[in-house]
Structures are given as structure tokens and as C-alpha cells.
Amino acid sequence: MPKEIVVVGPGHLAHAVVSRWLKVADVKIQVLARSERYLAKGWTPEEESLVTFRADALRRAKLVVLAVKPKDMADTLATLEEFIPPQALVLSFAAGISIEQIHNAWPHHGIVRTMPNICSEIGCSVTGATFSDVSAADKAWVMELLNLLGYVTEMPEHLLNPMTALYGSGPAYVYIFIQSIMQAAADLGIPDGQSRELAAHMVKGASEMALNDRQKSLAQLVDEVVSPGGTTEAMLKVLVQSGWQDILRQALKAAGERAIQLGQAPSPA
Ligand SMILES: NC(=O)c1ccc[n+]([C@@H]2O[C@H](COP(=O)([O-])OP(=O)(O)OC[C@H]3O[C@@H](n4cnc5c(N)ncnc54)[C@H](OP(=O)(O)O)[C@@H]3O)[C@@H](O)[C@H]2O)c1
């Protein structure tokens, strides 16, 4: 019998994860909604058939996935407390919400705090996970589920906030990077129809080299692209002059600080 999973909150990340698990995991999934706003978030008719407004769906759950915004977490934990069965495990995606905060509301459950990203949808997430009061067998099952979303690594809880900033938010800055390349491509005469493919494949190729060519440092990989007086050198000069790496570092630092704030006070996320 497939184990039952109830995902609370039919938002963007829930959609990515549920659509992936539906394809590759041997589980039964329901998705708990509180409004019809989820209809704008890309659910197919088949996926939509999993959505329910009945909180008592939780009563049969082996795993309850909390996929709500940090600002909604306290209300969600309070509202659903009466429905969660004693044996259920809890898995949270919420940025900045600590295991202790969840444990204070639901003290009798094993808790897994995770930070996947939206690339879960195609099994290409990077996911950090911290386990608390989870048996070895349950941990193995949850790791199996997370592995289906992409690369997963266990880590101490204090690293999950930086994880959120760097890799949870990360796909967004890669998309912006690709968009900037596409804008430059348009300026340089590359047709619109080709520039997204070209930029995305280029990022994919460079990423594969960074992953697979481990005997070379990233500086060496850069060096291999630069020829004296060439195009890469011209580009790097502008990037260095504009302080691009510092700007990126500041942006990621701001994301890291925001991840910490999100767990501290209810505020718009
Ligand atoms: N998006 C990402 O790439 C990403 C990456 C890493 C981590 N996360 C984390 O994942 C969580 C979800 O993010 P998201 O971007 O997917 O948010 P989202 O699109 O805003 O989705 C949140 C969903 O939760 C629903 N919800 C809130 N309280 C509920 C309750 N008590 N019962 C049922 N549904 C409830 C909301 O319904 P309404 O529409 O009615 O408000 C909404 O559909 C956040 O905690 C975020 O930190 C997201």
C-alpha cells in the first residue's frame, strides 16, 4: 500500500514537488488548499484532482508537508493540530521557520526541515535537510523522497537559512542571468527564437563542466575561456570594473538576512 502524503499549501513549490512525486514516487498524495488562488499556479487537471479543502484529509497521512509561506505557518500549525495523526511525520519547506517553532506547536512528531528549490519539478533541485526525532526507517524513506527531487544533503539546522538564500532563491538569479544574456543577445542581433535556447544550454554546459571537471579550479576553467585581447577578457574587464561579484555577494547576503528575519516575526513574505 503506498504511504499517504498530504501537502499543505498548493503554491509554487508544492506544485513543483507534487508534480515530480506523481511521476516517480510510489505514494498517494493529497494537497490541502484554503482558497482557489492555487488555480493560477499551473496545476494540471490531473494534479488538481488531488486538491482538497477538507483538513480531515490529514487524518490518514504518514507525512504532512508544510508548503505554506512563513507568515502563514503559525496559523496553519494551530488550525491543523486537531487533524494530524500521532504517527505522522512533518516535513517543512518554510524559509526561516525552525524545528523548535514547529515542535512547540506539534510536540509529538518527528520533524524534517528542508530547503528544496523549484527545480524539484524536473528532479534537479538541490535540497538541504535536517532531521529531528525521526526513526532510521522514516529517515531513509524521506531521504528517498527528497532524492527524487534532485541532489539532497543532510546538514545541521543553522545552515538551512544560508541554504535558502543561496540555493532556494538561487534559480531566480540564474533566470535573471539568462534573461540578461538574452537582452545582450538581442542587442547583438541574435534572433529572439534562438537566444533563450542558446543562453540556457550555455549555462547548462558550463554547470556540467563545473560539476564534472573537479580536478580544475573554477579560476582554471575561466582561464581556459580567456584569450589575451579577446572577447572574454573584454567582458571580464567590465564585470570587474562594475564590482559585479561584490554586488552578487551583497544580494545573497541580503537574502540570507531575510531568511533569518522570516522565522522571527509574522511579516509579508
Ligand atoms: N517558491 C520557491 O521556489 C521556494 C523555494 C524554497 C522554499 N520555499 C518555501 O516554500 C513555502 C511555499 O512557498 P511558495 O513560493 O510555494 O508559496 P506560495 O506560492 O505563496 O504558496 C503558498 C500556498 O499556501 C497556501 N496556504 C497558506 N496557509 C494555508 C493553510 N493553512 N492551509 C492550506 N493552504 C494554505 C496559500 O494559499 P492562499 O493562496 O490562499 O494564500 C498558497 O497556496 C514557503 O515557506 C517558502 O519559504 C519556496
Side-chain angles (χ1 to χ4, degrees):
M1 267 283 270
K3 291 178 184 158
E4 297 205 18
I5 299 178
V6 175
V7 178
V8 181
H12 291 114
L13 185 60
H15 177 256
V17 169
V18 168
S19 64
R20 177 70 181 163
W21 281 342
L22 272 183
K23 285 189 196 106
V24 294
D26 180 25
V27 287
K28 185 164 178 246
I29 304 177
Q30 283 206 281
V31 182
L32 181 63
R34 67 169 181 187
S35 78
E36 292 203 333
R37 279 188 288 264
Y38 75 88
L39 290 168
K41 296 194 179 178
W43 297 80
T44 64
E46 187 206 349
E47 292 159 0
E48 260 183 63
S49 69
L50 310 175
V51 176
T52 176
F53 287 87
R54 295 176 56 108
D56 62 4
L58 258 72
R59 292 198 194 282
R60 292 177 307 275
K62 169 67 190 162
L63 181 70
V64 174
V65 178
L66 297 169
V68 304
K69 290 277 191 201
K71 69 180 172 64
D72 290 324
M73 191 60 128
D75 269 2
T76 301
L77 291 171
T79 314
L80 299 183
E81 189 187 359
E82 63 176 294
F83 299 101
I84 182 164
Q87 77 285 359
L89 285 167
V90 179
L91 186 148
S92 168
F93 293 151
I97 302 292
S98 68
I99 289 174
E100 189 183 5
Q101 284 167 291
I102 301 169
H103 184 78
N104 286 343
W106 291 357
H108 308 298
H109 298 272
I111 297 168
V112 191
R113 182 177 163 198
T114 59
M115 186 43 60
N117 72 27
I118 204 80
C119 304
S120 297
E121 185 166 342
I122 53 163
C124 289
S125 176
V126 285
T127 305
T130 305
F131 292 81
S132 172
D133 290 332
V134 178
S135 71
D138 284 344
K139 182 173 169 180
W141 178 57
V142 172
M143 280 302 264
E144 201 180 300
L145 286 172
L146 294 176
N147 256 308
L148 295 172
L149 305 179
Y151 174 79
V152 53
T153 183
E154 191 178 352
M155 55 179 55
E157 190 179 9
H158 73 273
L159 293 181
L160 285 177
N161 285 334
M163 186 80 199
T164 309
L166 297 167
Y167 314 113
S169 307
Y173 56 76
V174 175
Y175 298 141
I176 291 170
F177 179 70
I178 291 174
Q179 205 175 34
S180 305
I181 294 171
M182 288 171 63
Q183 281 156 358
D187 293 343
L188 294 171
I190 306 269
D192 272 359
Q194 285 174 314
S195 68
R196 179 162 167 169
E197 295 277 306
L198 289 169
H201 279 294
M202 185 267 293
V203 169
K204 191 175 171 194
S207 302
E208 290 286 338
M209 295 270 290
L211 271 176
N212 296 326
D213 243 351
R214 297 305 279 268
Q215 73 280 16
K216 290 180 190 155
S217 68
L218 289 174
Q220 272 174 295
L221 288 172
V222 173
D223 276 351
E224 287 179 9
V225 190
V226 181
S227 22
T231 54
T232 316
E233 195 177 73
M235 172 198 73
L236 289 178
K237 202 170 155 197
V238 176
L239 288 181
V240 169
Q241 275 168 1
S242 67
W244 185 68
Q245 279 184 303
D246 281 342
I247 292 171
L248 193 58
R249 195 176 295 166
Q250 279 169 37
L252 296 175
K253 195 163 164 246
E257 285 161 2
R258 182 69 183 135
I260 294 168
Q261 287 164 5
L262 284 175
Q264 289 170 347
S267 61

